[in-house]
Structures are given as C-alpha cells and as structure tokens.
C-alpha cells in the first residue's frame, strides 16, 4: 500500500519550486476579482494566497493536516478534505489545482466532486504530472526495489495519465475541454535527489526496513546521476506536466 505523509516545513524548504513553476497555470486560470475559487490540493497555500491577493474569494482543501495548518497561517480558508469526497454543491466559479492531481489515483471520484462543486459554466484549470513524468526516477525506484525482491507496482502512489485518457475522463463528467497539453518541463532541484525522494517518494522507501533506506536512496542516486546530475552536482528531473482548462456547459441538467 502507498504511504505518504507531509511535513509543511520540509516541503517549504525542498519543494518551493512547485508553486513558483505553477505561475503559467495562474495565467491560464485568469482569475477575476470577486470570483469564488476552490484550490484543490492546496499544499502550503501559496497559490491560494496569491488568489486572495487578487481579490478572489478562496476556499482551499488538502488531505494533509500539516498543509491545511500552513495554509491557514497565510490567512487562507483552508479545510481538511479528501478530494475523492468533496463536499461542495454548485458554488464555485472555478476549481484550480497545481501539482496535486497526480497524488489522486481515483481520478473519476475526484472529477465527479469537481463537477458537482462548480456552477454551470464554471471552469476547471489544473496542472499535474502527465504521461512519462519523472519516468527515469520511477524506473530506478522499481529496479532498485526489485533487487530487494519487492514489487514497486502497488507502492507507486502516482497517476500520470496520457492526454487522451484524461480528456476522456473530463468529457465523461460533462466537461468541454478548451486546452489540454503534455508539456515537458525539465526541473532543477534545489537540493539532492535524495532530498527529493525523502519528500516525495516515501511510499517506496518505507517498504524497506529502516537500516536499508539510506543505502537504497544512495543506489537510486548512483543509478540516475549519469543522466540527471551535471558536473557541478545540479540535479534536473524529467518532469512532464499535463496542463488543461475545461468548462462545464452553462445549461446543466
Ligand atoms: C510532480 O509534481 O510531478 C511530482 C511531484 C512529486 C512526485 C511525483 C511527481
């Protein structure tokens, strides 16, 4: 079973690039003053805070208490909620989500809740890991766990769909898709690959007994360094984003 816990302070120091690189998504959302916007999987609340500053009325949800607390400290109306069971009915002008949907493997349950949360004509604008995202890291994690006779398949917490597969899911929920594209975005890490793995890939490492975890991370790094680390020690991961904008029709049954 996949396991992942979040620590807001650790996230702020090892993953500050996540919100910074989400700026084009805010442009695609084109938020207007007074709009009521749901930030789905808000993390530590940077984007929700930006939307507030632009005069939007924002509700933010996350399934990690540490993130909800951090977002509340920024003045955001952040609530603890499971994205598969959103409790909103036709009340938002837009739902926004950055770098969160790939943690939600039950995509149809999430989309159904988003669809219910939006007013007729409401829009859903999001970006997350798409097909091929961090593929070299995924392959290395699988290969190194296989050496320990562990099948990484059931441990993999990530959902990185193809454009066609995700478009079909959006349409099945009644969305009209205005834009949807896979965007390769090689991403420099602020620290080492081990730092990144300790923040984002816990479900793989926790499958090992504690004494084997550090050597495991080291072997994953060694396997990937020739491709993903330059001579100065800078790591760059093969991120691929799936970015889309979709709307509900004005007339809904
Ligand atoms: C991503 O933002 O694409 C991502 C982050 C952590 C783990 C996997 C993917």
């Amino acid at each position: 079973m996949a396991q992942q816990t979040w620590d807001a302070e650790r996230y702020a120091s090892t993953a500050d690039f996540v919100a910074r690189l989400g700026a084009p998504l805010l442009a695609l959302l084109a938020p207007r003053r007074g709009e009521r916007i749901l930030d789905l999987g808000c993390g530590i609340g940077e984007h929700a805070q930006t939307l507030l500053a632009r005069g939007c009325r924002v509700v933010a949800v996350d399934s990690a208490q540490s993130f909800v607390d951090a977002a509340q400290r920024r003045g955001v109306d952040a609530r603890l909620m499971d994205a598969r069971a959103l409790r909103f009915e036709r009340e938002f002008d837009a739902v926004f989500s950055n770098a969160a949907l790939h943690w939600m493997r039950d995509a149809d349950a999430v989309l159904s809740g988003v669809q219910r949360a939006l007013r007729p004509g409401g829009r859903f604008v999001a970006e997350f890991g798409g097909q091929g995202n961090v593929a070299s890291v995924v392959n290395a994690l699988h290969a190194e766990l296989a050496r320990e006779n562990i099948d990484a398949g059931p441990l993999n917490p990530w959902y990185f769909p193809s454009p066609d597969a995700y478009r079909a899911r959006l349409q099945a929920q009644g969305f009209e898709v205005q834009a949807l594209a896979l965007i390769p975005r090689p991403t420099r890490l602020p620290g080492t690959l081990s730092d990144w793995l300790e923040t984002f890939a816990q479900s793989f490492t926790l499958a090992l007994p504690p004494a084997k975890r550090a050597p495991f991370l080291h072997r994953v790094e060694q396997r990937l360094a020739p491709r993903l680390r330059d001579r100065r020690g800078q790591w760059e991961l093969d991120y691929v984003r799936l970015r889309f904008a979709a709307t509900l029709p004005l007339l809904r049954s």
Side-chain angles (χ1 to χ4, degrees):
M1 257 316 267
Q3 300 178 56
Q4 173 74 37
T5 57
W6 294 107
D7 175 81
E9 269 179 40
R10 181 179 176 82
Y11 188 86
S13 65
T14 60
D16 64 331
F17 64 91
V18 174
R20 193 165 23 87
L21 297 176
L25 185 63
L26 280 176
L28 187 62
L29 175 67
R32 292 184 286 272
R33 181 166 284 280
E35 280 193 316
R36 191 149 190 270
I37 297 182
L38 174 66
D39 182 352
L40 177 61
C42 65
I44 59 178
E46 301 105 313
H47 286 310
Q49 192 179 24
T50 302
L51 291 169
L52 277 178
R54 293 199 193 175
C56 301
R57 293 173 294 145
V58 182
V59 175
V61 296
D62 206 286
S63 61
Q65 185 66 55
S66 140
F67 282 172
V68 169
D69 294 343
Q72 286 174 348
R73 285 195 292 275
R74 292 173 185 264
V76 174
D77 174 1
R79 308 177 191 177
L80 188 68
M81 205 176 289
D82 184 335
R84 294 166 299 186
L86 293 175
R87 300 188 298 272
F88 304 106
E89 291 287 336
R90 294 189 173 216
E91 53 194 282
F92 291 101
D93 299 298
V95 175
F96 168 88
S97 182
N98 181 48
L101 296 174
H102 48 248
W103 294 103
M104 306 174 193
R105 294 191 65 108
D106 192 349
D108 292 329
V110 175
L111 285 172
S112 157
V114 170
Q115 180 267 124
R116 276 197 312 279
L118 283 168
R119 298 203 169 104
R123 56 203 198 281
F124 183 26
V125 177
E127 178 175 316
F128 65 115
Q131 188 174 36
N133 192 39
V134 293
S136 47
V137 179
V138 174
N139 290 340
L141 288 166
H142 279 245
E144 287 299 333
L145 281 178
R147 285 183 49 177
E148 301 284 341
N149 295 316
I150 296 174
D151 173 12
L155 304 172
N156 189 333
W158 303 320
Y159 169 61
F160 300 142
S162 70
D164 285 350
Y166 204 73
R167 180 189 297 274
R169 286 186 193 275
L170 284 164
Q171 289 171 338
Q173 295 287 343
F175 284 99
E176 292 163 2
V177 179
Q178 273 76 44
L180 186 147
L182 207 54
I183 305 166
R185 194 202 66 196
T187 298
R188 289 174 154 226
L189 302 185
T192 65
L193 179 63
S194 285
D195 293 336
W196 188 94
L197 292 167
E198 283 174 12
T199 301
F200 292 118
Q202 291 165 11
S203 54
F204 297 93
T205 38
L206 290 178
L208 292 164
K212 287 192 165 186
R213 289 176 194 161
F216 169 74
L217 293 178
H218 182 66
R219 283 201 308 277
V220 173
E221 278 203 336
Q222 280 186 316
R223 189 181 271 269
L224 290 173
R227 249 198 302 165
L228 301 182
R229 191 176 65 190
D230 72 14
R231 272 182 300 171
R232 284 165 300 140
Q234 171 72 57
W235 286 90
E236 186 176 84
L237 299 198
D238 45 349
Y239 272 50
V240 179
R241 317 319 286 164
L242 187 62
R243 187 185 298 162
F244 65 87
T247 51
L248 288 177
L250 273 169
L251 289 176
R252 288 165 72 185
S253 48

